[in-house]
Structure formats: C-alpha cells, structure tokens
Amino acid sequence: MIPQVFKEVIDLGDGREISIETGKLAKQAHGSVVVQSGKCMLLCTVVSNYKQSDVDFLPLTVDYREKFAAAGRYPGGFFKREARPSDGEVLTMRLVDRVLRPLFPKDYHAETQVMIQLMSHDDEVMPEAMAGLAASAAIQLSDFPFECAISEARVGRVNGEFVINPTRAQLEESDLEMMIGASADSVMMVEGEMDEISEEEMADAIKFAHEAIKVQIAAQLRLAEAFGKKETREYETAEVNEDLQKRIHDLAYDKCYAIAKKGTSKAERSNAFAEVKEEVKASFTEEEMEEFGHLVGGYYSKAEKEAVRELTLSEGLRLDGRKTDEIRPIWCEIDYLPSTHGSSIFTRGETQALATVTLGTSRDANKIDMPSHEGEENFYLHYNFPPFCTGEARPLRGTSRREVGHGNLAQRGLKGMIPVDCPYTVRIVSEVLESNGSSSMATVCAGTMALMDAGVQMTRPVSGIAMGLISDGDRYAVLSDILGDEDHLGDMDFKVTGTSEGITACQMDIKIKGLSYEILVNALKQAREGRLHILGKITDTIAAPAESVKEHAPTMVTRRVPNEFIGALIGPGGKVIQEMQKETDTTIVINEDPVTEEGIVEILGVGSEGINAVLAKIDSLLFKPTVGNVYKVKVIKMLDFGAVVEYIDAPGNEVLLHVSELAWERTENVSDVVNMGDVFDVKYFGQDPRTRKEKVSRKAILPKPEGYVARPPRDSSRDSRGGRDNRGRDNRGRDNRRDDRRPREDKKED
C-alpha cells in the first residue's frame, strides 16, 4: 500500500514548476523529500544523531551526488560504479553547506548528514539550483534545532531580463550567473560570475533571486504544516555562566583592545593574545579551573572578539594598524620560473601566491563527465593550499573541498577575459606559499600576471580583493583586504574579482540578518576602489600581455582543411600524421567543426621549423593546379613512357609527364631529354578527355623548332581500319560455330 503523499508546487512564473513531495520514499530518515522540475528529480534525506559528539563544533556533512543511471548512462572508466565526487558535485556541496551551517545552534554538536541525490535527469533543468531547496525542505520535516527555512536559486540575465533557474542554453546567452542562498528576511550567500557588470546590477540580481526564494520558502512551510510539524528535539545545551563571562571580560577586554591597537604582525599579535589568555587562566584557583575551566577558553575568545570589533567601529583601526579602506603592501614579479610557459609571484601582506601557466592543444582540455553535464574546459585553474603556508603540519589527504571551491572562484573570475579565439588550452596552477587573508584573490592577481607573461592576449587584466564587514546594528565598517582573523570575527566576508570595467566574479557569506542593500552596494563600491588599487600594482609590473609566447613555449597554429582531405592527412592507421609529428617534433590534433564539418588542424610546436613543415604538408594536400598555369616541377621517377614529376610548391603531389610532351621532336628515350632530379617548368592542361588523367606538358612552353611540321592526327574511324564493324558480335558467326559443336561424349566416340 502506497503511504499518504504530501505535495506542494512552486510556480516559477514562466510555465515551469517545482514540486516538493514527501511521504513516499526514505521514511526512516529524519526528513526526506523529492524535489522535481520537469523530468529532473532530487531525493534529499537528513539524519542527525540524538547524542552529542565529543567535539566543539557541528560535524555536519552535506553530500551531493549525481547518479549516472539518472541520465541513462554508465560511469566512465574501468570500474562501472560511482566513486569520488566530481568537482561539480563538490561545488554544489559547498553551496548548500555554507547556507545551512550557520543556522544550527552553536552548541549543537550532533553528527548530522544531509544527502542529496540526482535520481532522474532532464537536459533542460540544472539540478544543483534545487539542492538548497531540497535540503531545507527535508530539515523542515525533521525535529532538528534549525533556525529557519532557507532556499537557493540561480539567476541569469538574458536580453536584459532576469531569469530564475535558467536552462544551460539560456546561460550561454546570459551575461551573469549567480547562485543566491537566503532565508525569508536575509540574504546569506552569493556566488557567481559576470560579464563585467556594475555593483548596482549585481544588487538588482540578488534582489530578484531573493523574491523567488521567498516563494520557495513559503512552499516548504506549507508542506511541513500539512505533513505535521514535529516538536524540536531537546539536546544538551552549552553551559552558561554569566558571572564567569563578566569576570573574564573584565580581565581580558582592555588588554586585548590595547594589543589590537598596536598594529603588530600576525605572529606578535598571536603571542600577545596567548599571554593574556594564560594570565586569565592564572587568575583562577585550581578548584575554579576544575569546576568551570572548560568555559574559560570560549569566554576569553568572546572578549577578544568584542575588543577587536569595537576598535574598528569606534576608531576605524584594525589589527595590523591599517585604516578600514587601506590595502596591505604589495609586490609582484613575473617570469620567475625559467622553464614554465608563464609564471608570476603576487605578494600582499602575509599572503603569497605563485602561479604558473601551461599552454596546450584541445587534447589537453579538462574533460567534464557528469550525468547532468558533459563537456570540456579549454581554460581551467587548479589551486593548492599546502599546510606550510600557514605554518602548520597537517596530514596530506588529497585535494580538499576548500581547494576545489577557491580554485573555481579564481577560475570564474579570470575565464571571461580569455579571448574566444585563443587557440590554446590554458591551465593555471596556483601554489599558495603564505596565507593570512584571501589566497583565492591572490591567485586571481597572480594568475592574471602569469597569463600575460605567457603571451595569452587577455581582454583586460583582472584583480581580486577580499572584503569584510563589522556591524553592531547602528554602526558599521567595511574592511578592505581582510586578514584571516578579520574573516573570523566579521559579519560578512565577500570576495570580488573584476577589471577596470566591472565585476567578473564574486563570493559572499553574510552572517547578520537583514543586511540592507544600501550597505551591500557601499561595500561593493569600496571593493571596487581596492580592486583598482591592486590592478594598478599588477599593471605596474606587466602593463600588457607579451606579444608572443616565450622561446621555449609552444606556438599554436590552426588550419582549416576540407573534410575530403582529412583521411590523406591522417593516413592508414594514423601512419602519416604520426610520422609527421615524429619528424617535425610537433603535436598535431585534428577536430571536426560541427557546423561546417571541416577539419580544424591544431599544430603545436616549439620553433617555426617544424610547424612550417607541417603547414607545407597540408598545403601540399590542398594543392590544386589551375588550367593554363605554369608550375615548376622536379623529376622523381623515370619510366619508359615518360617521367613522374613532383610540384616544387606542393611536395607529394605527383603527375605523369608523358614522353610525347617532353619536346617537339620525336623522343625515343625519356633520358635523352630529362634525368632524375631535373627541375623545369611545365604547363597544366587539366584532365585529358581521352585518358581521363591529369595532363602536363614541357614542350608547350618551349618554342617550336624551325620547320617543324606536326604529324597528321590519327584517324579514329573504325571503317578505315579494315572494316572493324564487320568484326562486331553479330557478324562473328560465333553462334553458328557454337551450334556445330558436338557434345564431348560424341567426340570420344569418334
């Protein structure tokens, strides 16, 4: 018997709908929903243990997976089973996690899992846009202590009109793509890329998405009400001791304020704060520490945070002594690594990134193989954050989700400035060597310089900056180029990349409710000033892209070849192209233009000699002589009835020069006129109608000998050659002879 199903429908306003359903699947989970749009279906389940974990944080796992069966496909590779998550799945996990995590109570430490699966795929629906909606809807059906319902939506702009959850085809025409996560009254998360838009346009897109999110939240609440809203579970809450908190505040606040005001370095500041913390602990007796020592650390951190925030709000000063809009000292360098195709160092304060650029062919493109999307990236960026960059020793366990997310943000910030006609596949690798502040934005700056150093003709250079916000409700301060500590203690941190013309990418995490759009736009404008300052430092180091690639870097040349010649270029079993690559020390890749069906030949090689040799081979294949023109040829083979000659301008193109076309005089031996290796001119006559072969002539461009008399043309009449017509089938008498023949047996009898 099918259980009772509860369902709510969300109208997207353009004929599309999203439905949220519960009651049919995964009923043992603490909350489960199926979210559907078109044929796309997501199953989300949430479970949280009833026992608190022995940790001082929320062990929340958000997992998003796309099942290949959902698209009627098999997983690629040897093992036909989904394995580690793809980068696309990891990015979706991060988008959902960043909105959910702040809404759990700070003292809720139970192991919690949010699992979202793509169960059915629709080519017209991008499933990750509904993942946040699915997660929040499932939590609303549970008994978790969760502050309020949220949702996420993607917004695009096509022909000047905003679109919610656009299709992939619509995104191709859109000048922005943003994911917004929000509650009914507050925007909490923004991430996206843009085509150099203004701060006001970005704010308008956020507003538009927020209105759609409010509709999705209302549907969740209706579904929970119909299903039966559960009582919020009880859990072991954190112990509160207001007297102890005040005592620690009085002991530490002024000292922390004074340390923060000194404007010292990260190491000096950390040591000073640690000394104050030890002094606070030393002020308690052993009995007191035994009784509530577990609370001291948390209350001290709170007092330190309050002191630092107040310093900024009241005096406009920051931990390292800067003003709110001041950027840390910057130094840059290009061409640092001698063997790479492009390299740069970008150092801002105590944050440093070393970027390298590698140029390749379409064969080096990054393959994307997900159930919801297949394709290639001809520009991609990888970001590495080793433990030593923060002075730590940590286990190395492969690429982290954080590295995937930060690298993707930097990639989105830069990729719009890579020209469409860039012939290369471009890979940037950013090695973060120091970190105290935004290393992803340092990656953008280092990446820009490395690209220009490599000779990639960027449309415009890109810079990035990380911003912060501190607010107590009445006062607020926007912080440019935030430190790592300011990221932790602030109410909003947002990263913005852009050119001199506008924003290319952003990532925001907003921690306070009801942030006004006025403050948001002001913060974005201050970010623009910081971006332009940093951009000036970049262009002081390298003003424009190098005119050409480095001597040791490969040059890329592309040629279009008609489809009928591709087979000859490749050769049987790839023999011709393989030998050509070996002889010329080049890499040759052939792709088909899906529109014209022409072959696009990519030739990658260091130096011009090998590339020119390949181009000559292609020109040879494409060579078509014109009737009436004279061409220089070389004898490559001697025959009894003529000489095989090769066009000098098209090696490999051969034609027979018949003995009768060598000279006006009668030629008995070919070697009497020409020999192997001789070079001379011939005239091209096109296809001989009698032999149906191409005809060239040497004698046609030679003067006729004095007194030369041409032989009379051959009479082609059959009658003049002895009545050939009488030898036709009807007159041969074969039928009569056949009738006279006797069977073999009769002959034997005779």
Side-chain angles (χ1 to χ4, degrees):
M1 183 178 110
I2 298 176
Q4 183 179 2
V5 175
F6 300 87
K7 186 174 182 178
E8 285 291 333
V9 176
I10 301 163
D11 185 358
L12 293 179
D14 57 1
R16 295 176 300 151
E17 293 181 340
I18 300 176
S19 67
I20 319 172
E21 177 184 289
T22 191
K24 184 180 290 187
L25 303 182
K27 294 190 297 298
Q28 291 191 48
H30 296 163
S32 69
V33 295
V34 173
V35 175
Q36 181 171 358
S37 181
K39 297 178 182 178
C40 177
M41 298 175 69
L42 292 175
L43 169 65
C44 178
T45 59
V46 296
V47 174
S48 186
N49 291 340
Y50 284 93
K51 183 180 179 182
Q52 292 272 66
S53 300
D54 296 328
V55 293
D56 61 352
F57 60 90
L58 172 63
L60 170 66
T61 300
V62 175
D63 193 76
Y64 171 82
R65 300 298 178 103
E66 295 188 355
K67 305 296 185 179
F68 277 86
R73 294 178 51 210
Y74 284 90
F78 184 79
F79 295 101
K80 299 303 177 185
R81 184 184 182 97
E82 289 86 354
R84 66 173 297 276
S86 66
D87 283 1
E89 290 168 316
V90 168
L91 294 171
T92 302
M93 297 175 199
R94 283 175 52 83
L95 287 173
V96 177
D97 186 294
R98 284 162 49 200
V99 183
L100 296 184
R101 191 176 293 273
L103 296 177
F104 284 92
K106 293 188 183 300
D107 57 355
Y108 187 68
H109 301 155
E111 183 82 31
T112 304
Q113 290 182 340
V114 177
M115 300 186 68
I116 310 164
Q117 305 176 50
L118 175 67
M119 308 301 289
S120 176
H121 175 56
D122 186 331
D123 288 334
E124 297 300 314
V125 180
M126 298 179 71
E128 67 274 14
M130 301 188 298
L133 167 64
S136 177
I139 291 174
Q140 293 307 302
L141 301 175
S142 74
D143 61 350
F144 298 176
F146 193 73
E147 187 174 326
C148 60
I150 60 94
S151 192
E152 294 180 350
R154 174 179 276 115
V155 60
R157 186 170 63 178
V158 181
N159 298 324
E161 297 292 328
F162 289 123
V163 182
I164 289 295
N165 292 356
T167 63
R168 200 172 294 279
Q170 287 176 314
L171 275 184
E172 293 294 324
E173 302 174 16
S174 176
D175 63 352
L176 62 86
E177 182 218 338
M178 296 169 62
M179 283 290 291
I180 286 79
S183 63
D185 59 1
S186 298
V187 174
M188 305 172 67
M189 184 276 299
V190 179
E191 182 160 326
E193 61 185 85
M194 309 86 180
D195 293 341
E196 298 180 291
I197 67 171
S198 69
E199 288 75 14
E200 290 81 6
E201 288 175 304
M202 181 173 163
D204 289 342
I206 295 172
K207 289 179 186 178
F208 183 80
H210 194 190
E211 292 304 313
I213 286 171
K214 291 176 183 178
V215 175
Q216 297 178 12
I217 289 172
Q220 295 177 47
L221 298 179
R222 291 195 303 270
L223 180 70
E225 192 66 32
F227 179 75
K229 184 66 177 174
K230 297 178 182 177
E231 289 291 327
T232 302
R233 69 173 62 175
E234 294 183 0
Y235 66 96
E236 186 179 343
T237 59
E239 181 183 347
V240 177
N241 189 323
E242 293 182 358
D243 292 336
L244 179 65
Q245 181 177 344
K246 184 178 183 307
R247 179 178 170 183
I248 292 175
H249 181 276
D250 293 341
L251 286 170
Y253 182 87
D254 290 339
K255 294 178 181 178
C256 290
Y257 192 98
I259 292 170
K261 193 172 181 178
K262 286 181 179 179
T264 53
S265 68
K266 177 182 177 181
E268 292 173 326
R269 190 167 59 246
S270 297
N271 291 335
F273 282 139
E275 288 178 8
V276 174
K277 186 174 181 179
E278 289 303 316
E279 289 176 11
V280 169
K281 289 182 177 180
S283 68
F284 293 94
T285 64
E286 288 185 12
E287 292 78 11
E288 288 174 323
M289 286 299 292
E290 219 174 287
E291 183 179 353
F292 42 68
H294 58 286
L295 299 175
V296 172
Y299 288 149
Y300 167 77
S301 296
K302 189 173 182 179
E304 180 187 312
K305 181 177 179 180
E306 289 176 1
V308 174
R309 286 169 60 91
E310 182 58 32
L311 174 68
T312 302
L313 288 172
S314 61
E315 300 189 43
L317 294 177
R318 300 162 64 179
L319 283 169
D320 57 358
R322 284 182 292 150
K323 296 177 181 178
T324 56
D325 60 351
E326 192 174 346
I327 312 298
R328 286 174 290 177
I330 294 171
W331 67 265
C332 313
E333 184 177 337
I334 61 167
D335 199 20
Y336 178 72
L337 301 173
S339 297
T340 62
H341 298 164
S343 66
S344 74
I345 303 171
F346 178 84
T347 307
R348 184 194 61 240
E350 296 173 298
T351 299
Q352 184 177 77
L354 170 64
T356 59
V357 166
T358 307
L359 306 175
T361 68
S362 59
R363 191 180 295 164
D364 302 305
N366 185 36
K367 303 292 190 294
I368 300 173
D369 184 22
M370 296 175 63
S372 62
H373 178 49
E374 294 178 86
E376 292 183 346
E377 289 179 329
N378 291 319
F379 172 75
Y380 51 100
L381 186 151
H382 291 149
Y383 164 102
N384 297 315
F385 192 87
F388 67 77
C389 72
T390 55
E392 298 174 281
R394 287 184 279 104
L396 300 174
R397 296 192 175 119
T399 305
S400 68
R401 293 186 180 186
R402 180 185 181 279
E403 288 172 306
V404 172
H406 281 51
N408 178 257
L409 174 61
Q411 176 178 322
R412 298 176 88 174
L414 290 168
K415 75 175 184 180
M417 293 299 107
I418 305 298
V420 176
D421 60 355
C422 177
Y424 297 99
T425 290
V426 181
R427 180 190 184 221
I428 298 178
V429 178
S430 174
E431 303 290 347
V432 179
L433 306 181
E434 293 182 52
S435 181
N436 179 21
S438 178
S439 52
S440 61
M441 296 299 94
T443 292
V444 170
C445 299
T448 291
M449 292 188 294
L451 286 168
M452 294 198 288
D453 179 51
V456 176
Q457 302 301 307
M458 295 184 71
T459 306
R460 274 178 289 278
V462 182
S463 64
I465 189 169
M467 306 290 291
L469 175 73
I470 295 175
S471 173
D472 63 1
D474 298 322
R475 302 170 296 170
Y476 76 91
V478 178
L479 311 180
S480 298
D481 180 23
I482 58 174
L483 302 168
D485 290 340
E486 291 172 332
D487 184 1
H488 170 69
L489 61 86
D491 298 314
M492 175 174 73
D493 64 272
F494 60 104
K495 304 173 180 71
V496 188
T497 73
T499 68
S500 58
E501 302 300 314
I503 300 171
T504 59
C506 73
Q507 183 184 90
M508 296 187 184
D509 290 297
I510 303 167
K511 307 169 190 175
I512 56 173
K513 294 182 181 180
L515 177 69
S516 73
Y517 286 97
E518 179 185 356
I519 294 177
L520 178 60
V521 171
N522 288 341
L524 287 170
K525 287 182 177 179
Q526 185 171 318
R528 183 176 188 275
E529 294 172 4
R531 279 200 340 262
L532 294 179
H533 170 80
I534 296 170
L535 195 58
K537 298 293 184 181
I538 290 173
T539 53
D540 285 346
T541 304
I542 179 168
E547 293 183 1
S548 61
V549 300
K550 298 180 185 297
E551 289 185 2
H552 62 272
T555 299
M556 169 80 81
V557 176
T558 60
R559 286 289 297 273
R560 287 182 172 268
V561 176
N563 199 37
E564 62 266 25
F565 293 98
I566 293 299
L569 180 60
I570 295 173
K575 181 179 179 181
V576 172
I577 195 170
Q578 289 172 10
E579 288 182 353
M580 203 185 315
Q581 290 182 106
K582 186 176 180 180
E583 292 171 1
T584 62
D585 195 23
T586 59
T587 300
I588 305 172
V589 179
I590 302 176
N591 297 308
E592 184 181 64
D593 188 313
V595 178
T596 65
E597 296 186 352
E598 289 180 297
I600 302 174
V601 183
E602 300 175 357
I603 310 160
L604 190 81
V606 178
S608 59
E609 186 176 342
I611 292 175
N612 290 338
V614 176
L615 290 174
K617 177 66 176 178
I618 294 173
D619 289 338
S620 174
L621 285 171
L622 300 180
F623 177 74
K624 291 182 179 179
T626 304
V627 174
N629 282 4
V630 174
Y631 297 95
K632 195 171 287 295
V633 297
K634 178 181 179 181
V635 178
I636 61 172
K637 187 182 292 186
M638 301 287 285
L639 303 172
D640 292 341
F641 50 88
V644 178
V645 296
E646 179 184 65
Y647 292 99
I648 295 294
D649 292 336
N653 277 274
E654 305 169 0
V655 65
L656 174 67
L657 175 60
H658 194 265
V659 64
S660 63
E661 298 296 333
L662 285 171
W664 291 106
E665 299 86 356
R666 179 179 179 82
T667 304
E668 295 294 340
N669 297 307
V670 175
S671 59
D672 292 342
V673 180
V674 297
N675 289 292
M676 280 290 291
D678 285 358
V679 176
F680 48 84
D681 291 336
V682 296
K683 188 173 183 178
Y684 181 73
F685 286 93
Q687 191 179 74
D688 188 321
R690 186 170 62 86
T691 64
R692 296 182 181 239
K693 294 181 179 180
E694 289 185 300
K695 178 182 177 180
V696 294
S697 174
R698 177 177 177 270
K699 74 179 185 182
I701 57 177
L702 297 175
K704 291 182 181 180
E706 190 174 339
Y708 174 80
V709 178
R711 289 194 306 172
R714 176 183 292 178
D715 186 353
S716 60
S717 168
R718 300 295 188 185
D719 294 336
S720 65
R721 298 178 63 181
R724 189 179 180 104
D725 286 348
N726 292 332
R727 291 182 294 161
R729 178 170 295 186
D730 294 340
N731 297 323
R732 289 175 183 172
R734 288 180 180 176
D735 291 343
N736 295 333
R737 288 197 300 271
R738 191 171 288 127
D739 290 342
D740 291 342
R741 291 175 181 173
R742 290 180 297 174
R744 190 178 297 274
E745 291 75 16
D746 295 343
K747 289 184 178 181
K748 288 180 179 179
E749 291 175 5
D750 292 343

